[in-house]
Amino acid sequence: MEKPGAKWPRFRCMLFLTMRTLIAAFLTLGSLFMVSVLTHAQQPKPEDTEVWQPEPKVVTPGECGKPPSDAIILFDGKNLDEWVSAQDRAQPAKWTVSDGILTVSKSTGNIETRRTFHNYQFHMEWRVPESITGSGQARGNSGLFLASTGPGDAGYELQVLDSYNNKTYVNGMAGSIYKQSIPLANPMRKPGEWNVYDVIWTAPVFNDDGSLKTPAYVTAFLNGVLVDNHFELKGETRYIGQPFYKKFDGAPIKLQAHGDKSEPLSFRNIWVRELP
């Protein structure tokens, strides 16, 4: 015969085991729930990498060689209102405008834009005359100075030259950053045909003390072919001596009236888009 009260310890033991089982089950379910919640929360969604602001401004592209809607027109075949003498900025540019074409007047010197620029996209069409004479650097020579830092040839020059079957030093042919880069290709058209430059200019940035913070870079296409790919300039381009940087803050764009005796070059459809 079972003693009185003997069932009570067994009941407590069974109750304890039941409660322990229930607690263990509860904790297991809770853990699984938390894992599910965390897994769901950490699951990547397409929206995680979507950026909606700021929206780029709308630019209407030009048709049939025309400039885009936000371009600053530097020469449209009508006049030289956007240009001045590079020798004396108080004087107007004196190159020849006829039949929608701008032709170098070598006796009047270089010309440059009235406005100054920092970073930009640039477009220009240029032609070596069909009757061109001379050879090497004395054949159809000019220059596009992406930043003019003074009179004469001071600045950063992308070479303009007749490089169609015309031998010269390769860091001085069309498409070169003069005496710094060798073009990646020579897509020059023959004299009498129009060539096209499309250029991205990133201006150098200077510290307050005049030291260089970041260098200048040029990406250039000649007739749709890449000739300079984000090329890092060593400083201003120089005919003699090594390149160097000197501080400036915004600069005009300059076209060169080279002193060679060959027939002068012509230009048309020149525009620029300012970039951040």
Side-chain angles (χ1 to χ4, degrees):
M1 181 176 181
E2 190 173 28
K3 295 181 180 181
K7 293 183 178 181
W8 176 242
R10 289 202 300 273
F11 174 77
R12 285 191 302 174
C13 182
M14 292 175 61
L15 180 62
F16 173 76
L17 290 173
T18 302
M19 290 180 64
R20 188 172 67 175
T21 301
L22 290 173
I23 291 171
F26 176 79
L27 291 174
T28 300
L29 289 173
S31 298
L32 291 173
F33 176 76
M34 290 301 297
V35 169
S36 176
V37 169
L38 290 173
T39 301
H40 181 74
Q42 294 171 0
Q43 187 69 29
K45 303 184 294 295
E47 294 80 7
D48 294 342
T49 52
E50 293 175 0
V51 178
W52 288 68
Q53 294 291 339
E55 292 187 30
K57 67 178 181 180
V58 175
V59 176
T60 304
E63 297 181 3
C64 301
K66 300 296 183 183
S69 60
D70 64 342
I72 298 171
I73 310 303
L74 298 177
F75 179 71
D76 62 359
K78 298 176 182 177
N79 56 59
L80 286 173
D81 291 351
E82 289 287 342
W83 300 82
V84 297
S85 167
Q87 290 66 242
D88 181 357
R89 288 184 56 82
Q91 298 298 316
K94 296 180 180 179
W95 289 9
T96 303
V97 176
S98 178
D99 296 327
I101 295 171
L102 171 64
T103 301
V104 178
S105 176
K106 295 190 178 186
S107 62
T108 64
N110 301 342
I111 65 172
E112 64 186 26
T113 57
R114 289 186 184 276
R115 308 185 199 211
T116 59
F117 301 96
H118 291 87
N119 305 323
Y120 58 78
Q121 173 189 349
F122 180 86
H123 176 93
M124 179 180 78
E125 300 169 18
W126 53 282
R127 182 179 66 185
V128 175
E130 189 174 5
S131 59
I132 194 69
T133 58
S135 62
Q137 294 290 309
R139 181 182 174 90
N141 199 329
S142 182
L144 167 61
F145 285 79
L146 302 169
S148 172
T149 57
D153 295 338
Y156 301 78
E157 181 185 7
L158 174 61
Q159 177 70 305
V160 174
L161 185 77
D162 180 14
S163 291
Y164 185 86
N165 293 333
N166 178 36
K167 289 287 188 180
T168 188
Y169 44 91
V170 292
N171 62 348
M173 63 187 292
S176 68
I177 304 302
Y178 187 68
K179 288 197 170 179
Q180 293 194 38
S181 77
I182 300 172
L184 300 174
N186 179 7
M188 186 78 183
R189 293 193 172 109
K190 64 183 180 180
E193 298 182 1
W194 286 97
N195 295 282
V196 180
Y197 264 149
D198 287 290
V199 183
I200 304 298
W201 166 251
T202 302
V205 178
F206 298 89
N207 295 307
D208 292 340
D209 63 0
S211 60
L212 182 67
K213 184 175 182 180
T214 57
Y217 294 93
V218 173
T219 295
F221 292 83
L222 174 57
N223 297 325
V225 177
L226 183 67
V227 289
D228 296 288
N229 187 15
H230 196 61
F231 179 78
E232 179 181 326
L233 279 78
K234 302 175 181 66
E236 296 189 9
T237 52
R238 295 170 58 79
Y239 177 50
I240 299 174
Q242 298 301 312
F244 61 87
Y245 279 101
K246 64 180 181 182
K247 186 178 180 179
F248 70 94
D249 183 20
I253 299 168
K254 180 164 58 185
L255 295 177
Q256 183 188 50
H258 194 268
D260 71 281
K261 298 186 182 302
S262 68
E263 294 76 6
L265 274 65
S266 298
F267 302 87
R268 71 181 185 186
N269 195 18
I270 306 174
W271 52 262
V272 63
R273 292 182 64 243
E274 294 182 292
L275 301 176

